[in-house]
């Protein structure tokens, strides 16, 4: 086992595997299993899932294309409704045509796909131990996947973190990219007020050591890894499913294009991720849960010990993490309405003025 994950100079996202570099025609070609072959392969996968003791999933941009979010490497002749990958367009000095543009969805408005929701169900049922993801589109978090089982190697585009108090904020608005990751926003806590930064990991930047270490730990224990929608070319992320195979576990790769790990995969499935997810859950006798947006509203009160009480309201996700989805809060007391449009959403009540004796 590793005493530490990797030498410091290899903890970075490898520039050499950036997808805007030209790819060969064979690398961009999409392959499709016949319906009979797909059924046979997924039946085999279902049997492995049923007997797995430590299953992990590894996800890439391909699981979000069905949500209307482009991937990076799909070729100009892709079968995807949303068209070529972002870096393929860049490499070809081309732009997305109107037909494909009409199928796109902004990441903040995208709905988790069948694959996202399958993973949620497998985690909830104790079948899947964790999801290691290269995606930063926020759909895994939006799907309801517990943060204790999600390891986002390249960050999350919806999260800001305070440089001082380290508090994290999950946003429902676009976080502006500034140099050095600074977003231009400040900590919502009036007692802090320090600047916030995003947590996206760009090419050439160091991955979070704790997230990477935990991911490798799971990979070394895993007897099954389901890698979906990834070209498996960006390192060190791609070394995680590779580690599963190296330690004797079964690696299953689901992707339309070939990958560098195909030769060590125990099972190679050429199909769209949602098609595989739907068929797999059928064979497991499980139902993919529908996506439901769930959020919390947290109420709290603080008394000064005399006549004043501060009533506060804030939004949160289902795990209690601060989530700034509230636009305004209206308080009404004795027929008088007070509106606050900025966090902290609070109202100070002076009970002596209300004719009461304290809160």
């Amino acid at each position: 086992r590793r005493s530490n994950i990797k030498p410091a100079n290899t903890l970075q996202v490898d520039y050499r595997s950036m997808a805007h570099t030209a790819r060969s025609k064979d690398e961009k070609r999409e392959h499709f299993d016949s319906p009979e072959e797909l059924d046979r392969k997924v039946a085999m996968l279902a049997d492995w899932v049923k007997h797995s003791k430590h299953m992990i999933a590894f996800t890439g941009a391909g699981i979000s294309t069905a949500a209307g979010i482009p991937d990076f490497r799909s070729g100009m002749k892709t079968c995807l409704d949303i068209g070529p990958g972002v870096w393929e367009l860049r490499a070809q000095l081309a732009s997305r045509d109107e037909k494909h543009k009409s199928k796109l969805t902004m990441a903040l408005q995208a709905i988790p796909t069948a694959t996202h929701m399958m993973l949620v169900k497998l985690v909830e049922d104790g079948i899947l131990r964790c999801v290691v993801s290269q995606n930063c589109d926020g759909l895994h978090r939006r799907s309801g996947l517990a943060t204790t089982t999600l390891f986002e190697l390249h960050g999350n585009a919806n999260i800001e973190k305070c440089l001082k108090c380290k508090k994290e904020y999950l946003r429902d608005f676009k976080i502006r990219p500034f140099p050095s990751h600074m977003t231009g926003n400040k900590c919502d806590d009036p007692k802090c007020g320090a600047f916030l930064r995003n947590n996206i990991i760009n090419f050439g930047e160091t991955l979070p050591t704790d997230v990477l270490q935990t991911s490798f730990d799971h990979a070394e224990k895993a007897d099954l890894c389901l890698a979906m929608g990834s070209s498996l070319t960006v390192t060190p992320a791609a070394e995680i499913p590779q580690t599963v195979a190296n330690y004797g576990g079964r690696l299953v790769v689901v992707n339309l294009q070939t990958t560098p790990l195909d030769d060590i995969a125990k099972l190679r499935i050429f199909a769209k991720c949602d098609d595989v997810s739907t068929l797999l859950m059928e064979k497991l006798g499980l139902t993919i849960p529908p996506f439901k947006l769930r959020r919390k509203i947290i109420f709290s009160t603080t008394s000064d010990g005399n006549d004043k009480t501060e009533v506060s309201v804030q939004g949160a996700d289902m795990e209690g993490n601060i989530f700034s989805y509230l636009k305004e809060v209206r308080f009404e007391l004795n027929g008088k309405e007070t509106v606050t449009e900025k966090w902290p959403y609070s109202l100070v009540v002076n009970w002596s003025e209300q004719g009461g004796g304290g809160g």
Side-chain angles (χ1 to χ4, degrees):
R1 292 181 58 80
R2 292 174 174 81
S3 56
N4 61 63
I5 39 181
K6 301 285 284 179
N9 64 347
T10 60
L11 280 172
Q12 299 176 337
V13 182
D14 190 353
Y15 271 111
R16 295 169 298 178
S17 55
M18 290 180 73
H20 64 253
T21 53
R23 307 188 79 219
S24 71
K25 186 178 296 185
D26 285 341
E27 289 174 322
K28 291 184 284 189
R29 181 177 292 116
E30 295 175 346
H31 305 265
F32 301 89
D33 289 327
S34 67
E36 297 76 18
E37 186 72 0
L38 179 61
D39 188 78
R40 182 188 68 80
K41 288 181 177 180
V42 177
M44 183 182 300
L45 172 58
D47 183 64
W48 291 352
V49 171
K50 291 176 183 178
H51 294 92
S52 173
K53 303 298 183 184
H54 197 110
M55 176 185 175
I56 70 172
F58 182 88
T59 64
I63 73 164
S64 296
T65 55
I69 300 175
D71 62 13
F72 299 98
R73 295 170 170 80
S74 290
M76 298 301 291
K77 297 181 179 180
T78 181
C79 69
L80 300 179
D81 291 339
I82 55 178
V86 174
W87 286 330
E88 171 67 5
L89 288 172
R90 185 180 302 176
Q92 301 299 326
L93 301 179
S95 59
R96 201 174 303 276
D97 60 36
E98 293 303 318
K99 175 186 175 181
H100 293 138
K101 281 183 180 179
S102 67
K103 303 292 185 178
L104 296 179
T105 304
M106 296 292 291
L108 285 171
Q109 300 171 339
I111 302 299
T113 66
T115 298
H116 287 96
M117 300 312 300
M118 173 196 72
L119 297 174
V120 171
K121 177 64 173 176
L122 293 180
V123 167
E124 289 178 346
D125 285 7
I127 297 170
L128 183 64
R129 295 298 185 92
C130 73
V131 175
V132 180
S133 184
Q134 296 172 283
N135 297 344
C136 55
D137 55 31
L139 287 185
H140 278 308
R141 287 286 294 267
R142 193 172 305 157
S143 72
L145 194 63
T147 56
T148 54
T149 59
L150 173 62
F151 304 102
E152 294 176 306
L153 298 176
H154 298 160
N156 186 316
N158 299 334
I159 291 178
E160 290 182 292
K161 187 173 183 178
C162 180
L163 292 175
K164 184 178 179 181
C165 71
K166 308 304 180 184
K167 188 175 293 183
E168 285 190 351
Y169 298 95
L170 190 59
R171 303 300 194 187
D172 66 345
F173 55 80
K174 185 175 182 179
I175 299 173
R176 296 175 296 172
F178 276 77
S180 302
H181 293 276
M182 305 308 294
T183 66
N185 299 323
K186 291 185 178 181
C187 184
D188 290 355
D189 189 341
K191 297 178 182 178
C192 178
F195 283 101
L196 304 177
R197 75 186 304 276
N198 67 30
N199 74 342
I200 297 297
I201 308 299
N202 296 317
F203 282 100
E205 295 179 340
T206 301
L207 272 66
T209 303
D210 55 341
V211 173
L212 193 60
Q213 179 68 68
T214 305
S215 299
F216 273 116
D217 288 343
H218 276 285
E220 293 174 4
K221 298 174 186 175
D223 54 13
L224 177 62
C225 174
L226 178 57
M228 304 187 76
S230 174
S231 64
L232 301 176
T233 57
V234 177
T235 59
E239 295 175 6
I240 292 168
Q242 182 179 10
T243 296
V244 175
N246 290 345
Y247 274 70
R250 290 171 169 145
L251 172 60
V252 179
V253 177
V254 179
N255 202 53
L256 291 177
Q257 298 173 340
T258 58
T259 81
L261 300 189
D262 286 359
D263 289 343
I264 62 172
K266 292 293 185 182
L267 185 60
R268 187 60 178 88
I269 300 176
F270 293 100
K272 292 182 178 179
C273 293
D274 276 8
D275 292 343
V276 174
S277 298
T278 302
L279 186 56
L280 174 60
M281 293 295 272
E282 288 177 3
K283 293 188 179 298
L284 291 174
L286 299 174
T287 300
I288 296 178
F291 168 68
K292 294 181 180 180
L293 186 63
R294 294 182 172 92
R295 297 290 180 252
K296 283 184 177 180
I297 296 179
I298 300 175
F299 297 88
S300 61
T301 60
T302 304
S303 174
D304 67 353
N306 296 306
D307 291 332
K308 291 183 178 180
T309 300
E310 182 178 22
V311 181
S312 298
V313 179
Q314 67 180 14
D317 66 12
M318 295 306 292
E319 296 181 58
N321 302 301
I322 296 174
F323 191 0
S324 60
Y325 66 87
L326 298 175
K327 302 302 181 185
E328 66 176 29
V329 173
R330 296 173 180 266
F331 296 92
E332 185 174 329
L333 180 65
N334 293 336
K336 181 181 179 181
E337 184 178 87
T338 301
V339 180
T340 59
E341 298 180 342
K342 188 176 181 181
W343 196 93
Y345 302 103
S346 62
L347 175 70
V348 177
V349 180
N350 189 327
W351 294 106
S352 63
E353 296 177 356
Q354 302 299 322

